[in-house]
Amino acid sequence: MQVTETLSEGLKHEFKVSVPATDLDAKADARLVDLKDKVRLNGFRPGKVPVAHLKKIYGRSVMAETIDETIRDANNKIFNERGFRLASEPKVTMPTEAKEVEELLSGKSDLTYTVAIEVVPPIVLADFKSFTVEKPVVDVLDGDVDDAIKRIADQSRPFAARAEGAKAESGDRVTINFKGTIDGVAFDGGTGEGIQLVIGSGQFIPGFEDQMIGIGVGETRTIKVSFPKNYASEKLAGQPAEFETTATAIEAPGETVIDDEFAKSLGLESLDKLKEAARDRLKAEFAGAIRQRVKRALLDRLDESHRFEAPPSLVAEEFNLMWNSIKAEMESSGKSFADENTTEEAAKEEYQKIADRRVRLGLVLSEIGEKNKITVTEDEVSRAVIERARSMPGREKEVWDYYRNNANALAQLRAPIYEDKVVDFLLELANVTEKKLSREELFKEEEDEKTAA
């Protein structure tokens, strides 16, 4: 076998490979000898079919298999000898002229092909013990617990009928019947009876609830609104509509007494138990936000400490996934780049940088995991599948079967588990300092970072 490197530019390499016809013929004959004991042909006893006869019948297909195997073996040898880690599947270019293909399959010519590859660059890992990562510390205060319980109480507040002749106010619960039309024509889902609406809750289309203020029981109004441009139904998105709406009942909100009885109505033994549950939930909420903050800080340090050329094909693939998603989202919402105070060119440039960062971080995390033998067990993946199934009551089996029969979906579930395990490994090595923050500071910074992103 003769190998000549014809291209070496950055992470891109190309090789011309030539394998003598005699080598291919010898391999094909060995396959035919092995085949002799397996095939059954009329007129021949088992294992007694002459190789020459087999060659007449199966020669072309056996040679095709031999060529495929030879190319795989040759490529692996080339890559392994040079220590290449491939960023994508190698691109093999074979002869395409009918005469060349015929001579190759009949064993009359050498196998000559080119293979183009893109490799992952060598990654020199930083000293993770030199990393300093700041971890917020946020206490759950009694006021936070009280606010959380008040929100629950507001959602559970009772309503009582208003006096005869009363008009609806913001915060009232109004029971309505309505029929919606667009250009005088009724549309699917535009009719409802006995629907309860709390004015100011944002349950209905923007503008609908405001026009309900001042309505009386038995009164009918024509509510004029426009469906949002990002409305779920494409047929209705952005369309102006009218709703003939009649109020059949108006109820004023009452006060919920936050005591042991209220806690019992929620399935808890006492108000103290409700406060414990609210505190635990807030702790979990804070812990999740803190984890995300620490993880982002660590990934930023990894990004700063590992600057190398990312494989262009992987960056292009990541960029295309993000860009297609962004374009689809903008089309469905009816927004333009101008609405986001940018241009398409500027947005592309920004997402190109994000794609490059994601690819480099993915390669760095993979390198860390590989060198430190970090793996994701089948039990961990199974627990993740079970957790996902539990989040969709009534569809548990459907979710379970989906992941078990879909390798790509399972890989997507495995990836964040692996990433979190590598992050935990790094945090054990890094110098983690603590910084006291209030709840407001924690979530304000969270919002600021989302906006910046």
Side-chain angles (χ1 to χ4, degrees), residues 20-37:
T22 51
D23 289 359
L24 293 176
D25 204 42
K27 289 182 179 180
D29 284 348
R31 280 175 169 267
L32 289 168
V33 169
D34 182 61
L35 190 64
K36 182 177 69 170
D37 297 325

Side-chain angles (χ1 to χ4, degrees), residues 167-186:
K167 303 297 183 181
E169 300 175 6
S170 181
D172 285 355
R173 185 169 69 185
V174 184
T175 303
I176 57 175
N177 300 331
F178 59 83
K179 180 179 180 181
T181 58
I182 295 177
D183 294 330
V185 180

Side-chain angles (χ1 to χ4, degrees), residues 223-278:
I223 307 296
K224 297 181 179 181
V225 293
S226 289
F227 284 94
K229 290 183 178 180
N230 61 345
Y231 196 67
S233 170
E234 292 183 7
K235 291 182 179 180
L236 301 179
Q239 294 291 322
E242 293 186 356
F243 290 85
E244 288 295 318
T245 307
T246 301
T248 60
I250 301 173
E251 299 169 293
E255 289 296 324
T256 300
V257 178
I258 300 175
D259 56 11
D260 288 342
E261 290 304 313
F262 173 64
K264 289 176 182 178
S265 73
L266 298 174
L268 295 164
E269 297 174 11
S270 63
L271 180 57
D272 287 341
K273 291 294 184 182
L274 175 56
K275 288 182 177 181
E276 284 181 23

Side-chain angles (χ1 to χ4, degrees), residues 102-396:
E102 177 58 35
E103 289 184 349
L104 184 58
L105 291 176
S106 60
K108 295 177 182 177
S109 69
D110 296 344
L111 166 64
T112 301
Y113 70 93
T114 61
V115 55
I117 60 172
E118 190 175 271
V119 301
V120 175
I123 299 173
V124 179
L125 296 178
D127 176 11
F128 303 122
K129 291 182 180 179
S130 68
F131 281 17
T132 298
V133 181
E134 188 177 82
K135 178 183 178 181
V137 176
V138 184
D139 294 329
V140 177
L141 305 178
D142 291 343
D144 297 327
V145 175
D146 292 341
D147 289 343
I149 293 176
K150 186 177 184 306
R151 287 193 294 271
I152 297 172
D154 287 342
Q155 294 167 3
S156 308
R157 65 185 181 274
F159 285 87
R162 280 194 174 275
E164 186 176 349
K167 303 297 183 181
E169 300 175 6
S170 181
D172 285 355
R173 185 169 69 185
V174 184
T175 303
I176 57 175
N177 300 331
F178 59 83
K179 180 179 180 181
T181 58
I182 295 177
D183 294 330
V185 180
F187 55 88
D188 290 342
T191 302
E193 290 188 2
I195 306 300
Q196 291 186 326
L197 166 66
V198 176
I199 298 176
S201 64
Q203 293 172 253
F204 275 38
I205 303 168
F208 190 105
E209 295 171 20
D210 291 342
Q211 296 178 59
M212 293 299 297
I213 294 176
I215 197 171
V217 173
E219 181 181 344
T220 298
R221 286 185 177 180
T222 300
I223 307 296
K224 297 181 179 181
V225 293
S226 289
F227 284 94
K229 290 183 178 180
N230 61 345
Y231 196 67
S233 170
E234 292 183 7
K235 291 182 179 180
L236 301 179
Q239 294 291 322
E242 293 186 356
F243 290 85
E244 288 295 318
T245 307
T246 301
T248 60
I250 301 173
E251 299 169 293
E255 289 296 324
T256 300
V257 178
I258 300 175
D259 56 11
D260 288 342
E261 290 304 313
F262 173 64
K264 289 176 182 178
S265 73
L266 298 174
L268 295 164
E269 297 174 11
S270 63
L271 180 57
D272 287 341
K273 291 294 184 182
L274 175 56
K275 288 182 177 181
E276 284 181 23
R279 189 178 295 275
D280 289 343
R281 184 172 179 177
L282 288 170
K283 284 181 179 178
E285 182 184 342
F286 292 179
I290 290 169
R291 169 73 178 186
Q292 287 303 109
R293 281 278 299 279
V294 171
K295 184 176 178 179
R296 273 198 296 272
L298 181 62
L299 292 179
D300 286 344
R301 284 290 285 119
L302 286 177
D303 180 38
E304 294 165 4
S305 305
H306 299 88
R307 293 291 181 175
F308 55 87
E309 181 189 358
S313 63
L314 296 184
V315 175
E317 182 180 349
E318 183 67 28
F319 171 79
N320 288 333
L321 285 172
M322 287 193 296
W323 190 249
N324 291 337
S325 176
I326 291 296
K327 292 285 284 185
E329 184 179 334
M330 293 188 75
E331 287 175 9
S332 67
S333 65
K335 289 185 177 180
S336 66
F337 290 102
D339 294 330
E340 301 294 329
N341 295 319
T342 186
T343 64
E344 183 169 350
E345 292 72 21
K348 278 186 175 180
E349 184 178 347
E350 185 62 29
Y351 280 104
Q352 192 72 36
K353 292 177 183 176
I354 294 172
D356 180 81
R357 170 187 160 102
R358 285 187 179 181
V359 169
R360 282 188 295 104
L361 284 176
L363 293 173
V364 170
L365 291 171
S366 177
E367 184 81 3
I368 296 169
E370 186 176 326
K371 288 195 172 180
N372 294 281
K373 297 181 172 54
I374 298 172
T375 58
V376 177
T377 67
E378 289 304 314
D379 282 347
E380 287 170 327
V381 175
S382 294
R383 285 197 295 272
V385 173
I386 291 170
E387 186 177 331
R388 186 64 59 88
R390 283 176 175 169
S391 70
M392 302 181 73
R395 299 177 60 190
E396 290 88 351

